[in-house]
Amino acid sequence: MERAYRLSGAAHPTTTATLRELVRNMNSYYSNRIEGQSTHPLNIEAALHKNFSEKPEVAKLQRIALAHIEAERELEQRVSAGERPLTAQFLLTAHAALYSRLSKEDRTTPEGRVVAPGELRAEQVSVGKHEPPLWSAIPEFLARLEQAYSQTLALDDILVYAAAAHHRMAWVHPFLDGNGRAVRLQTHCALFPLSTGLWSMNRGLARNRERYYELLDAADNHRQGDLDGRGNLSEKALWDWCAWFVSIAEDQVSFMTRMLNLEEMRSRIAALVSFRAQFDKGIRIEAAAPLYFLFLAGATPRGEFMQMTGLGVRTASSLLSRLIETGLVQSTSRVAPVRLAFPLDALQFLLPDLYPEAATQVS
C-alpha cells in the first residue's frame, strides 16, 4: 500500500492521466479475456475512434470492450464523488453501467437469454460445480453482504475487504449473466482510491486466469470441520483466496513502479527514438530529451519543446509534426501545448510487458 501511494506521484499529473486512459483500455481487454471473449487491443483502439470491424463477432466484442471502458469511467467518477463501492447497490449499478450501454442483441447470451441491466436473476442457475443461492433468497444475501462490506474502512483493511467481497459477491451470482464483469468493475472501484487507475488487478488476474478460477472455486467449498470458520463456507479457503489476491495486487504495484522508474524511462524513450529514427526519416534522435521532459513535466508549449531539440526552427517544427502524426505526442490543437502519449505500437519500448498483446498482429 505504501508503494501504491508513492506510485500515484511517480509522474506528472498530465502523464498519469494519459496512463490512466491506457490502463482503462487494458482493463477492458483483460476482463473480457478472463471471460474468454477478448478482442485484439488494436480493435479496441479502433472502436474508441468509432471504427468497427465488418466481421459481426469482432464488432460485437469491440462494442463490449467500449461499454466496459465507458462504464469504468462512470463508476470511477461515482467513487470520486463519495459513493461506497463495496455495497450491493454499487454492484447493481456496475452491472447496469455496463449492460445498459449494449444493445439487446449484444447482451443476449448464446442460449438466447437477454440480460437485463442491473436486474437480479429470477430463476435458478448452476455455474459449473457451483450452485448459487436460490434466486428468491438473493435480496437477503445482498443485505448480508451490505452489512459486512459497506462500512467505512481503515486504509489497512481495503485490500482484504475488496478481496473477500470479490469472492462473496461472485458466489451469490445475483445476475443472469455478467456477474464476473460486474464484480471486477466493483473491485476496480474499491481499489481506485489506492490505485488511482495506474495499476490493474484485471491484468494480474487474467495473467493467472487458471489460478484465479481455482481459488475462487475453492472458496465456494463448505467449511471443513468446526475450526474452519463459523459460516457455511470455508474460512480457510477464503483466506487463501484473499492472500493470493493481495499478492497479485503487490505484484502489479511493483511492476508499474518499475515501469515508471525515471532513469529507466529515460533509457526507454531514447531506445524508442533511436529505433524509429532508423526507419523513419522524420524522426530524429534529438527528440529523446524533450520527450523525456514531457514525461517529467507534462504539457509543454510547442516553442519550448522545439527549443529543447537544439535544432533549427523549421527542422524542429517538422520533427514535432512527425511525432504528433505517429502518436508519440498529442495536442488538442495546432497551437496548444504538447504532451507525451503512449501509443500501442510504442508500448514494447516505453512500458514493456504492460500490455504485450498490443504488439501482436490482428488475426
Side-chain angles (χ1 to χ4, degrees):
M1 290 184 69
E2 291 174 357
R3 287 201 300 273
Y5 283 119
R6 287 199 299 269
L7 181 61
S8 64
H12 190 276
T14 301
T15 302
T16 56
T18 303
L19 282 169
R20 191 173 294 116
E21 292 300 316
L22 171 63
V23 171
R24 185 179 291 115
N25 299 349
M26 186 181 71
N27 279 341
S28 73
Y29 169 81
Y30 280 126
S31 186
N32 289 333
R33 175 173 153 180
I34 290 170
E35 300 294 325
Q37 296 181 331
S38 63
T39 187
H40 195 280
L42 290 175
N43 287 330
I44 297 176
E45 185 77 10
L48 290 168
H49 295 90
K50 308 302 181 184
N51 183 14
F52 295 92
S53 173
E54 295 180 358
K55 300 177 181 178
E57 279 305 308
V58 174
K60 178 180 178 179
L61 292 174
Q62 286 178 295
R63 291 190 292 269
I64 292 173
L66 191 60
H68 185 285
I69 291 167
E70 293 172 351
E72 188 173 286
R73 187 180 291 114
E74 174 194 327
L75 295 168
E76 288 174 359
Q77 291 171 353
R78 287 176 174 270
V79 172
S80 298
E83 284 194 38
R84 289 180 295 176
L86 291 181
T87 66
Q89 181 55 53
F90 195 91
L91 182 62
L92 269 64
T93 299
H95 191 271
L98 175 60
Y99 283 94
S100 65
R101 288 178 160 85
L102 297 174
S103 67
K104 179 180 178 181
E105 291 72 24
D106 285 349
R107 50 187 169 85
T108 299
T109 70
E111 298 78 26
R113 306 284 188 87
V114 179
V115 179
E119 283 192 20
L120 301 179
R121 60 181 167 88
E123 59 185 85
Q124 197 54 24
V125 298
S126 60
V127 186
K129 297 181 295 182
H130 177 45
E131 294 289 338
L134 289 173
W135 66 268
S136 57
I138 289 175
E140 295 176 61
F141 277 94
L142 292 181
R144 173 61 185 135
L145 287 168
E146 189 90 17
Q147 181 185 33
Y149 296 110
S150 65
Q151 59 191 283
T152 302
L153 300 175
L155 291 178
D156 289 349
D157 294 332
I158 289 176
L159 276 169
V160 175
Y161 269 72
H166 186 102
H167 174 267
R168 292 316 200 220
M169 297 283 186
W171 181 83
V172 172
H173 198 85
F175 310 110
L176 180 64
D177 195 39
N179 292 274
R181 288 190 176 94
V183 168
R184 285 189 293 276
L185 281 168
Q186 181 182 46
T187 299
H188 170 80
C189 291
L191 297 179
F192 187 70
L194 183 63
S195 74
T196 64
L198 290 181
W199 50 273
S200 165
M201 282 301 298
N202 284 350
R203 178 181 181 272
L205 298 177
R207 291 165 69 86
N208 297 273
R209 183 173 181 265
E210 290 186 10
R211 186 62 173 156
Y212 172 48
Y213 280 128
E214 178 185 327
L215 286 167
L216 282 178
D217 289 344
D220 289 347
N221 290 332
H222 291 288
R223 63 175 178 162
Q224 307 298 308
D226 293 339
L227 300 180
D228 191 14
R230 294 175 297 168
N232 291 327
L233 302 183
S234 170
E235 184 176 292
K236 179 183 181 301
L238 180 63
W239 274 113
D240 288 344
W241 153 256
C242 289
W244 183 78
F245 181 98
V246 172
S247 75
I248 292 296
E250 183 180 18
D251 176 69
Q252 295 305 303
V253 172
S254 298
F255 171 77
M256 203 61 181
T257 298
R258 293 195 303 273
M259 289 298 97
L260 298 185
N261 176 273
L262 298 184
E263 286 305 312
E264 289 189 20
M265 181 58 72
R266 183 200 297 269
S267 299
R268 292 192 217 114
I269 289 174
L272 171 63
V273 172
S274 178
F275 176 80
R276 290 200 169 183
Q278 297 179 53
F279 305 98
D280 187 338
K281 294 181 179 179
I283 302 294
R284 301 173 62 103
I285 59 173
E286 289 85 353
L291 285 174
Y292 182 60
F293 181 82
L294 293 187
F295 175 78
L296 295 175
T300 300
R302 289 169 177 246
E304 289 185 22
F305 182 93
M306 292 190 293
Q307 190 174 22
M308 281 186 283
T309 66
L311 300 170
V313 174
R314 181 174 296 180
T315 304
S317 179
S318 297
L319 172 59
L320 178 56
S321 295
R322 186 58 183 156
L323 292 171
I324 293 174
E325 288 173 9
T326 56
L328 281 175
V329 171
Q330 291 180 339
S331 181
T332 57
S333 72
R334 292 181 177 274
V335 296
V338 293
R339 63 184 185 274
L340 183 66
F342 296 88
L344 295 183
D345 60 359
L347 293 185
Q348 57 187 316
F349 281 94
L350 297 180
L351 300 167
D353 295 326
L354 174 68
Y355 201 9
E357 297 82 359
T360 63
Q361 297 295 318
V362 180
S363 59

